[in-house]
Short mmCIF file of all heavy atoms in Angstrom, two decimals:
data_model
loop_
_atom_site.label_atom_id
_atom_site.label_comp_id
_atom_site.label_asym_id
_atom_site.label_seq_id
_atom_site.Cartn_x
_atom_site.Cartn_y
_atom_site.Cartn_z
N THR A 527 -11.80 -6.21 4.33
CA THR A 527 -11.02 -6.92 3.29
C THR A 527 -11.02 -6.07 2.01
O THR A 527 -10.30 -5.16 1.85
CB THR A 527 -11.57 -8.33 3.03
OG1 THR A 527 -12.98 -8.32 2.73
CG2 THR A 527 -11.38 -9.22 4.25
N GLY A 528 -11.87 -6.41 1.03
CA GLY A 528 -11.89 -5.78 -0.31
C GLY A 528 -12.11 -4.27 -0.23
O GLY A 528 -11.36 -3.52 -0.87
N TYR A 529 -13.11 -3.86 0.54
CA TYR A 529 -13.47 -2.42 0.55
C TYR A 529 -12.35 -1.64 1.34
O TYR A 529 -11.94 -0.56 0.94
CB TYR A 529 -14.83 -2.16 1.18
CG TYR A 529 -15.25 -0.73 1.07
CD1 TYR A 529 -15.22 -0.04 -0.08
CD2 TYR A 529 -15.66 -0.03 2.25
CE1 TYR A 529 -15.60 1.31 -0.19
CE2 TYR A 529 -16.07 1.26 2.19
CZ TYR A 529 -16.03 1.99 0.94
OH TYR A 529 -16.42 3.28 0.94
N ALA A 530 -11.84 -2.25 2.41
CA ALA A 530 -10.75 -1.63 3.12
C ALA A 530 -9.57 -1.41 2.21
O ALA A 530 -8.93 -0.32 2.25
CB ALA A 530 -10.32 -2.48 4.28
N ALA A 531 -9.19 -2.40 1.41
CA ALA A 531 -8.09 -2.27 0.50
C ALA A 531 -8.30 -1.15 -0.47
O ALA A 531 -7.35 -0.42 -0.85
CB ALA A 531 -7.84 -3.61 -0.21
N LYS A 532 -9.55 -1.05 -1.04
CA LYS A 532 -9.79 -0.02 -1.98
C LYS A 532 -9.66 1.38 -1.30
O LYS A 532 -8.99 2.31 -1.93
CB LYS A 532 -11.21 -0.12 -2.53
CG LYS A 532 -11.62 0.93 -3.50
CD LYS A 532 -13.02 0.71 -3.98
CE LYS A 532 -13.39 1.83 -4.93
NZ LYS A 532 -14.85 1.67 -5.40
N VAL A 533 -10.18 1.51 -0.10
CA VAL A 533 -10.17 2.86 0.54
C VAL A 533 -8.73 3.24 0.90
O VAL A 533 -8.39 4.45 0.76
CB VAL A 533 -11.06 2.79 1.81
CG1 VAL A 533 -10.83 4.06 2.65
CG2 VAL A 533 -12.53 2.68 1.45
N ILE A 534 -7.91 2.34 1.31
CA ILE A 534 -6.52 2.72 1.61
C ILE A 534 -5.54 2.55 0.47
O ILE A 534 -4.31 2.53 0.70
CB ILE A 534 -6.04 1.97 2.93
CG1 ILE A 534 -5.86 0.53 2.70
CG2 ILE A 534 -7.00 2.28 4.11
CD1 ILE A 534 -5.19 -0.17 3.97
N ASP A 535 -6.09 2.28 -0.68
CA ASP A 535 -5.25 2.38 -1.90
C ASP A 535 -4.33 1.20 -2.14
O ASP A 535 -3.25 1.37 -2.66
CB ASP A 535 -4.51 3.69 -2.00
CG ASP A 535 -4.39 4.29 -3.38
OD1 ASP A 535 -5.21 3.86 -4.22
OD2 ASP A 535 -3.57 5.13 -3.63
N ILE A 536 -4.68 -0.01 -1.61
CA ILE A 536 -3.84 -1.16 -1.85
C ILE A 536 -4.60 -2.28 -2.53
O ILE A 536 -4.22 -3.49 -2.51
CB ILE A 536 -3.20 -1.70 -0.53
CG1 ILE A 536 -4.35 -2.12 0.47
CG2 ILE A 536 -2.27 -0.67 0.05
CD1 ILE A 536 -3.76 -2.77 1.69
N GLU A 537 -5.69 -1.96 -3.23
CA GLU A 537 -6.56 -2.98 -3.79
C GLU A 537 -5.89 -3.72 -4.97
O GLU A 537 -6.36 -4.76 -5.40
CB GLU A 537 -7.94 -2.40 -4.27
CG GLU A 537 -7.90 -1.61 -5.50
CD GLU A 537 -7.62 -0.13 -5.25
OE1 GLU A 537 -6.97 0.22 -4.20
OE2 GLU A 537 -7.96 0.72 -6.09
N THR A 538 -4.84 -3.11 -5.60
CA THR A 538 -4.08 -3.86 -6.58
C THR A 538 -3.08 -4.77 -6.07
O THR A 538 -2.40 -5.51 -6.79
CB THR A 538 -3.40 -2.84 -7.56
OG1 THR A 538 -2.47 -2.06 -6.80
CG2 THR A 538 -4.39 -1.91 -8.22
N GLN A 539 -2.93 -4.81 -4.71
CA GLN A 539 -1.98 -5.69 -4.06
C GLN A 539 -2.68 -6.81 -3.29
O GLN A 539 -2.27 -7.96 -3.36
CB GLN A 539 -1.12 -4.89 -3.06
CG GLN A 539 -0.34 -3.75 -3.64
CD GLN A 539 0.27 -2.87 -2.57
OE1 GLN A 539 0.95 -3.40 -1.73
NE2 GLN A 539 0.08 -1.59 -2.62
N THR A 540 -3.68 -6.49 -2.53
CA THR A 540 -4.28 -7.42 -1.62
C THR A 540 -5.74 -7.03 -1.31
O THR A 540 -6.21 -6.07 -1.88
CB THR A 540 -3.50 -7.49 -0.27
OG1 THR A 540 -3.98 -8.58 0.52
CG2 THR A 540 -3.54 -6.18 0.43
N GLY A 541 -6.41 -7.76 -0.44
CA GLY A 541 -7.75 -7.39 0.00
C GLY A 541 -8.83 -8.36 -0.47
O GLY A 541 -9.90 -8.45 0.15
N SER A 542 -8.57 -9.03 -1.53
CA SER A 542 -9.54 -10.06 -2.01
C SER A 542 -8.89 -11.26 -2.56
O SER A 542 -7.72 -11.21 -2.93
CB SER A 542 -10.55 -9.48 -3.06
OG SER A 542 -9.86 -9.12 -4.25
#
Side-chain angles (χ1 to χ4, degrees):
T527 54
Y529 187 52
K532 179 180 179 181
V533 169
I534 69 172
D535 216 20
I536 59 171
E537 74 272 24
T538 60
Q539 305 171 48
T540 189
S542 65

